[in-house]
Amino acid sequence: CLSDWSSDVCSSDLGPAVISGCIATANGADGVYAANNCIMNHCQATFNSGRGIDVGNNCVLTDNNCFYNGYSGGFGSYPGIDVIGNSGRIEGNNCVSNGLFGIAVRGTSTGNVIIHNSARGNGTQNYLIVGGNDLGPTTSSAATATSPWANFSY
């Protein structure tokens, strides 16, 4: 899907979904949204006022790109990727210059695996992951990373 200047593009409020190759740009709310039980890959969310990507429970997010999302009203209010759910996998995503965080797994979220991601220059911090989730080690250099599960913050 391709959309701009609307809201909650490429969304699935009702349940299982596969969202692939979505380009969501300059929407007045979130870019790409899936409530629960989704597979989301190869999507690009840029310049959205809300979250770049927003998902709930049991979602697999792979190889997505989120750039400059979350600047509602000129303030850094939202992350590039926002997970408020359990038992998901967040892998191989790239989040740069988003308003609040690059990747956030927050609230009461547990049981998520967060590996192989890269994040740079995001508002408050690149990664905000609450306890009870499995975050691969975070390092600033791919050349010196010792874990095959490393996330990069540069």
Side-chain angles (χ1 to χ4, degrees):
C1 76
L2 172 63
S3 182
D4 55 20
W5 302 105
S6 61
S7 64
D8 283 342
V9 182
C10 302
S11 67
S12 171
D13 294 330
L14 301 176
V18 175
I19 301 172
S20 185
C22 181
I23 299 172
T25 301
N27 292 290
D30 297 341
V32 187
Y33 171 76
N36 297 307
N37 309 310
C38 73
I39 296 171
M40 188 179 302
N41 58 30
H42 303 285
C43 294
Q44 180 163 300
T46 57
F47 297 101
N48 298 292
S49 294
R51 299 155 188 88
I53 293 174
D54 182 18
V55 298
N57 295 307
N58 308 314
C59 289
V60 176
L61 307 178
T62 56
D63 301 317
N64 299 293
N65 187 36
C66 296
F67 176 80
Y68 210 78
N69 297 287
Y71 287 96
S72 179
F75 299 101
S77 303
Y78 299 102
I81 293 176
D82 200 7
V83 178
I84 302 178
N86 305 313
S87 306
R89 189 175 93 223
I90 299 91
E91 180 176 359
N93 301 287
N94 183 52
C95 294
V96 177
S97 298
N98 294 286
L100 190 57
F101 309 110
I103 297 174
V105 179
R106 54 191 179 155
T108 58
S109 301
T110 61
N112 294 288
V113 175
I114 304 98
I115 56 174
H116 298 291
N117 298 288
S118 57
R120 179 171 193 249
N122 295 286
T124 305
Q125 61 195 64
N126 287 325
Y127 298 93
L128 172 72
I129 313 298
V130 297
N133 294 286
D134 191 0
L135 174 65
T138 302
T139 183
S140 61
S141 172
T144 60
T146 57
S147 172
W149 309 112
N151 292 290
F152 300 96
S153 184
Y154 61 104

